[in-house]
Amino acid sequence: MAAGHQPPPRPERLSATPESFEGWCIALQQACRLEAERGFGNLQGRHDTFSGFVQASLAAPAADLGDPERQRLAALARGFDRYASLDLSARQSLVQRLRQALHALRRARQEPGPVSAPRLRLAPLPTEPNGGGEGRGRLTPETPLAQVAGIGAKTATRLAALGLLVVRDLVHHYPRDYLDYAHLVRIAGLEPGRTATIVATVRRSHAFGSPRNPNLAILELHLQDITGRLRVTRFFAGRRFSSPGWLKSQQRLYPVGATVAVSGLVKESPYGPCFADPLLEVLEAPGAPVRSERIGRFVPVYALTEGLSGEQLSKAVAAVLPEVGRWPDPLPEPLRRELDLPRRGEALQGIHRPADREALQRWRRRLVFDEFLLLQLALGQRRQRLRQQPAPALVLPGGADDLVGRFLALLPFPLTGAQSRVLAEIRADMARPRPMARLVQGDVGSGKTVVALAALLGAIEAGCQGALMAPTEVLAAQHFQKLAQWLPRLNVSSDLLTGSTPVRRRRRLLQDLANGQVRLLVGTHALLEDPVQFERLGLVVVDEQHRFGVRQRGRLLAKGLQPHLLTMTATPIPRTLALSIHGDLDISQIDELPPGRTPIRTRLLRGAERPQAWELVRQQVALGQQAYVVLPLVEESEKLDLRSAVEVHRHLAGEVFPGLAVGLLHGRMNGEEKQQAIDAFQGGRCQVLVSTTVVEVGVDVPAASVMVIEHAERFGLAQLHQLRGRVGRGAAASHCLLIHDGDSATARQRLELLVRSADGFEIAEMDLRLRGPGQVLGTRQSGLPDLALASLSDDGDVLEAARLAARRILEEDPGLERHPALRVALEEQRRRSLEAAQLN
């Protein structure tokens, strides 16, 4: 048969010359095509037959083929040994197998070209409130929701349960999250765990009742696009959905060949990615717009309450949004353009209906800016009011003979450069005839107390009294004991006032304070009580500022003729947080530690490694050192499996350290019991002190060299850093052991930052990012602003822009007379804050 046919037109292609993979593969494919066109007659070329050419080519494949591919080709080559003796069907089969193998090889080596995302046209959303034009022009921010067309009294009652009473409340009820159904992909691009939208063709539609549950109907669609196939399932619970008529109607809704848009969360299944109970809409034509208000869009998700569905809340928001665009913008137009911010009305509409993530960020930035601007305006005005009031100008004589100079001479060490700088800033403020308002930040052990005492002595030298206010009795007593080392040698009278002060002693103390015999008073919240009156209060120092609220500060300031105010904290506060809470204060930073402080070795241990901690404690006690064991709870909790201070104290005293004195200190002990425990530890009569976080501030024991913190994952990073600062105050090497019982990788990663870093400001920044500002400050009385959208950890650049804008506005218009919209917004915010404070 081969002899009776003409040679092929281009016999030079039947050449076994080695080529690249592509050339080698194309030559074989063309030879197979020619052989098939000529009837599988084993063509004779210029140099060889078809079967000989194939054998030679398969025996010398392209150099870049792998071993499995070479083995498959060698098996095919053996089949072509007897090609000339095979019948026609066998030859056809062999050539077909070779062509399939070559096609598979080429396809495996070709990079798949990018497939564009599907296109989906979205029908425009309605721009009028429900109910047509009846309510147009009448919606103001103060309109009650029950009067809005499309909401009604019943829904308004349910909205009231969320605190949404008027239109402004509803518009400011921002989505807590978004479903990204605007993420359009092909079937092959679906990723489990992400929301997505696809546009595909129905290949099979089947609705049937569940064989296991007679009250459950199932709709199953098989969809296909140019990249693959997908099965979509929807479930309908209820007997009415199980009737044959209803099932057939569902199949008619999704006929084979129809184009459907599908939005939902992609999940993993044994058959690959799938949608479970997604949103579906059949398009009128392949390019027709989708009518749904959710499919293919960025869908807001709101906080809800019982009886109020997400759909009801979305409809209520849609009813008021068109009017929002007509509200006046409080931001001056030139400033808005300079900062490239959208109009507020547009931003309020856009935050509820963003087209995509990029648009969402633009709308959100404007609203975050507004929140920060009002905050900075309020702080700026408070600062202005403070500076307008008179205060005693405490001009201090220079030289070594004044109280401050004599005090500094008593110290066994010179001030660091940072301490000297901050003290100079404080003295310059106190010399002015307006009240000082300064915050001193410093890391653990940076020497803030020395600076504060020098400032207080300056006020006393100028003829005034001083007050040092601490958040706990433990810390107040600690300060008083420290001052007792120096003040008698300086002939300065001082006293301590706390809630535990006996009545008789308190009465005498108050009398001495009022007639000026007590020059320096140390105390707790007891200083705020009405009977406490000073003769001439010149300076107030508030330690651990963030534990006091703004009103508490104000009550103490009211006891003197606008005394100067110095606040200090050993909890480093990130800049964004400081600007938000202490924006009315000047900020000084002691960013240098005294020389000679021994670095603290920090280790992270698992619960099973607890014996290592106890062994280290034994070794250190044997060397004459002492140890803390800190826990988050006082007594065993039924809900949380945490080791409590009481239980651990019993275990350590009875079993682990039977030969040592183990003390106990916790917040439920009365003042006298606490002081006894602290005195025993400071005096060396107690070697191990089991404590809750009351030890966080105040206890200063140079011999303490070990800090063991149980359930370290339950504490914030800044709090752990504070606790760690209780050791390392002497010359001995110190250790901090963090015992972590949980399995959370995130918690462990957070604690590892503490092991790596000793920088309190770096730790505070990370704590703010991980836990949020309320947890970092540790109290509801922190004066933290009520921010609905803004994040103090993520929006620092917006806060800075708002701070600069507020400063410019107040410099030109301190009373906001030329900015009436801003003045009204600020007054409204104050009114709401006052109402919230009264409710709390």
Side-chain angles (χ1 to χ4, degrees):
M1 190 173 179
H5 281 283
Q6 275 186 310
R10 290 180 289 178
E12 66 273 15
R13 289 199 180 269
L14 298 185
S15 167
T17 306
E19 299 181 56
S20 67
F21 169 79
E22 192 67 16
W24 172 85
C25 201
I26 289 173
L28 272 171
Q29 286 180 317
Q30 288 185 344
C32 289
R33 179 175 57 78
L34 289 170
E35 174 72 2
E37 289 174 355
R38 301 302 173 86
F40 301 97
N42 199 18
L43 288 174
Q44 176 66 53
R46 186 177 298 168
H47 302 293
D48 205 348
T49 61
F50 166 72
S51 60
F53 169 76
V54 170
Q55 283 180 279
S57 297
L58 294 181
D64 54 349
L65 288 178
D67 289 340
E69 295 165 328
R70 290 174 181 271
Q71 290 170 8
R72 286 196 295 272
L73 294 177
L76 280 170
R78 287 193 292 273
F80 279 93
D81 281 346
R82 46 194 182 83
Y83 183 82
S85 61
L86 296 176
D87 59 25
L88 180 61
S89 63
R91 289 185 182 187
Q92 288 175 328
S93 174
L94 192 58
V95 171
Q96 184 179 11
R97 285 167 55 204
L98 175 59
R99 295 179 81 171
Q100 288 173 341
L102 294 172
H103 176 72
L105 279 175
R106 288 191 71 185
R107 187 172 180 184
R109 285 168 175 268
Q110 287 175 350
E111 289 290 332
V115 180
S116 62
R119 294 184 178 182
L120 187 64
R121 288 174 56 204
L122 303 176
L125 293 173
T127 57
E128 292 298 328
N130 294 344
E134 183 184 347
R136 278 192 63 181
R138 290 186 290 173
L139 292 187
T140 70
E142 299 303 323
T143 301
L145 292 176
Q147 297 177 13
V148 177
I151 292 184
K154 192 172 182 180
T155 302
T157 302
R158 289 171 178 163
L159 291 170
L162 287 171
L164 311 179
L165 306 176
V166 296
V167 171
R168 177 193 280 108
D169 300 332
L170 182 58
V171 172
H172 290 169
H173 187 65
Y174 301 126
R176 61 177 175 82
D177 202 356
Y178 296 86
L179 298 174
D180 188 4
Y181 293 155
H183 177 53
L184 296 172
V185 295
R186 298 286 183 184
I187 288 175
L190 291 173
E191 301 174 51
R194 282 197 68 179
T195 51
T197 295
I198 63 167
V199 179
T201 304
V202 178
R203 291 300 176 212
R204 184 170 182 265
S205 176
H206 183 40
F208 56 95
S210 168
R212 297 182 179 179
N213 184 349
N215 295 324
L216 182 67
I218 301 170
L219 172 66
E220 187 177 274
L221 301 179
H222 290 208
L223 308 178
Q224 182 177 1
D225 68 7
I226 59 173
T227 66
R229 296 190 174 200
L230 180 74
R231 184 167 65 182
V232 171
T233 307
R234 287 198 68 182
F235 300 95
F236 302 89
R239 186 174 293 277
R240 67 183 185 280
F241 299 123
S242 302
S243 68
W246 189 89
L247 294 173
K248 286 197 175 294
S249 71
Q250 285 299 298
Q251 287 187 194
R252 288 195 297 270
L253 280 175
Y254 304 97
V256 172
T259 302
V260 294
V262 185
S263 291
L265 177 65
V266 182
K267 297 186 177 180
E268 189 65 82
S269 77
Y271 310 101
C274 70
F275 286 104
D277 238 16
L279 303 171
L280 295 168
E281 182 176 322
V282 176
L283 305 185
E284 294 177 357
V290 65
R291 297 183 301 276
S292 169
E293 294 189 7
R294 304 183 71 195
I295 291 176
R297 303 180 193 271
F298 222 61
V299 180
V301 179
Y302 297 96
L304 302 172
T305 188
E306 187 177 354
L308 183 69
S309 68
E311 187 177 357
Q312 287 174 314
L313 185 50
S314 296
K315 284 183 178 179
V317 171
V320 301
L321 278 188
E323 294 295 337
V324 171
R326 303 183 180 98
W327 292 354
D329 195 324
L331 203 60
E333 186 65 14
L335 180 61
R336 185 187 72 78
R337 289 180 178 171
E338 179 187 332
L339 296 172
D340 190 27
L341 295 171
R343 288 185 172 82
R344 181 169 174 82
E346 293 176 355
L348 285 169
Q349 290 174 325
I351 199 80
H352 291 282
R353 285 181 171 174
D356 51 39
R357 198 166 292 279
E358 185 178 343
L360 171 64
Q361 291 307 315
R362 178 168 168 75
W363 308 135
R364 183 185 174 279
R365 183 179 176 84
R366 166 61 205 265
L367 298 175
V368 166
F369 178 87
D370 286 0
E371 289 186 358
F372 280 144
L373 179 65
L374 291 179
L375 169 66
Q376 293 300 314
L377 287 172
L379 291 171
Q381 287 189 334
R382 187 191 302 166
R383 184 189 183 98
Q384 284 179 342
R385 287 194 299 271
L386 184 68
R387 292 195 167 203
Q388 288 168 358
Q389 294 171 348
L394 307 182
V395 181
L396 308 180
D401 293 335
D402 66 351
L403 272 178
V404 177
R406 286 158 52 202
F407 165 63
L408 295 179
L410 292 176
L411 297 177
F413 46 80
L415 295 184
T416 64
Q419 285 174 311
S420 299
R421 184 189 71 244
V422 171
L423 182 57
E425 292 170 350
I426 293 169
R427 294 182 69 156
D429 282 354
M430 290 167 60
R432 298 187 182 100
R434 61 171 185 258
M436 173 180 69
R438 183 169 291 277
L439 169 70
V440 175
Q441 285 198 92
D443 212 339
V444 175
S446 60
K448 296 176 301 301
T449 306
V450 168
V451 172
L453 181 53
L456 286 164
L457 290 172
I460 293 168
E461 177 82 24
C464 294
Q465 293 167 296
L468 175 56
M469 187 171 169
T472 65
E473 291 192 8
V474 169
L475 184 55
Q478 178 74 46
H479 279 315
F480 185 67
Q481 288 174 5
K482 268 190 180 178
L483 301 186
Q485 300 172 21
W486 297 307
L487 295 184
R489 297 157 72 181
L490 298 170
N491 296 317
V492 174
S493 58
S494 63
D495 215 326
L496 175 67
L497 178 64
T498 70
S500 302
T501 304
V503 175
R504 183 177 297 177
R505 183 164 167 242
R506 175 189 293 257
R507 192 179 299 122
R508 188 180 67 250
L509 187 158
L510 293 177
Q511 187 176 350
D512 292 345
L513 188 67
N515 62 29
Q517 290 185 27
V518 172
R519 307 306 298 166
L520 178 57
L521 181 64
V522 181
T524 57
H525 290 73
L527 296 186
L528 299 175
E529 295 172 6
D530 290 334
V532 181
Q533 295 297 330
F534 293 81
E535 181 197 36
R536 188 165 182 251
L537 180 59
L539 174 63
V540 177
V541 176
V542 180
D543 196 7
E544 290 304 313
Q545 147 68 14
H546 67 265
R547 293 172 183 240
F548 292 96
V550 173
R551 291 183 186 82
Q552 291 166 307
R553 265 168 45 199
R555 284 181 63 186
L556 189 57
L557 291 176
K559 292 185 178 294
L561 179 64
Q562 278 303 321
H564 297 282
L565 173 66
L566 177 66
T567 63
M568 58 183 186
T569 175
T571 304
I573 301 174
R575 176 173 172 77
T576 52
L577 202 50
L579 283 175
S580 298
I581 301 159
H582 310 307
D584 56 332
L585 305 179
D586 296 309
I587 299 177
S588 295
Q589 190 168 309
I590 302 179
D591 50 8
E592 181 183 351
L593 292 178
R597 294 226 9 158
T598 310
I600 302 167
R601 291 186 55 198
T602 305
R603 290 167 56 198
L604 185 57
L605 302 178
R606 295 196 176 277
E609 298 171 312
R610 196 173 273 111
Q612 296 181 27
W614 306 147
E615 182 57 34
L616 178 64
V617 169
R618 288 191 193 94
Q619 293 172 5
Q620 291 296 308
V621 169
L623 295 173
Q625 302 299 311
Q626 293 167 281
Y628 295 103
V629 178
V630 178
L631 294 104
L633 293 180
V634 178
E635 295 174 353
E636 198 69 52
S637 167
E638 295 178 3
K639 295 181 180 178
L640 296 172
D641 184 21
L642 301 178
R643 293 158 60 84
S644 73
V646 174
E647 184 247 334
V648 169
H649 173 259
R650 192 182 303 119
H651 172 67
L652 293 181
E655 300 177 31
V656 180
F657 306 124
L660 302 180
V662 181
L664 176 64
L665 175 66
H666 60 71
R668 293 187 186 175
M669 296 165 67
N670 61 40
E672 186 178 349
E673 290 172 331
K674 288 179 187 175
Q675 199 56 51
Q676 287 175 356
I678 292 169
D679 289 345
F681 193 61
Q682 287 177 323
R685 299 187 301 278
C686 163
Q687 288 86 40
V688 180
L689 180 63
V690 178
S691 171
T692 56
T693 50
V694 294
V695 79
E696 178 185 345
V697 287
V699 179
D700 188 2
V701 182
S705 65
V706 182
M707 170 68 69
V708 180
I709 304 176
E710 290 268 11
H711 298 286
E713 72 278 2
R714 303 288 300 179
F715 296 91
L717 288 179
Q719 196 176 22
L720 289 170
H721 182 60
Q722 282 274 81
L723 289 167
R724 178 169 61 179
R726 293 300 101 199
V727 296
R729 294 178 170 249
S734 296
H735 308 265
C736 178
L737 305 180
L738 308 173
I739 299 181
H740 167 47
D741 279 309
D743 297 325
S744 168
T746 306
R748 188 171 182 84
Q749 185 180 9
R750 194 167 62 86
L751 294 173
E752 283 170 352
L753 172 69
L754 204 72
V755 175
R756 293 195 309 270
S757 176
D759 184 342
F761 287 93
E762 178 191 1
I763 290 165
E765 286 283 358
M766 185 58 67
D767 211 22
L768 173 64
R769 188 168 295 278
L770 292 173
R771 299 200 308 151
Q775 291 294 322
V776 170
L777 295 171
T779 173
R780 291 181 61 185
Q781 287 191 313
S782 60
L784 187 68
D786 184 15
L787 302 174
L789 275 180
S791 164
L792 293 174
S793 57
D794 298 329
D795 297 318
D797 59 329
V798 188
L799 173 58
E800 191 65 32
R803 187 177 70 87
L804 295 174
R807 179 183 294 175
R808 282 171 51 187
I809 290 171
L810 291 176
E811 284 174 356
E812 299 171 4
D813 184 16
L816 299 179
E817 302 296 331
R818 299 196 302 275
H819 298 79
L822 278 177
R823 190 178 70 250
V824 169
L826 201 54
E827 289 171 353
E828 175 64 24
Q829 186 184 68
R830 285 178 182 145
R831 181 180 66 80
R832 288 172 174 267
S833 297
L834 189 60
E835 289 175 354
Q838 289 171 346
L839 287 173
N840 289 333

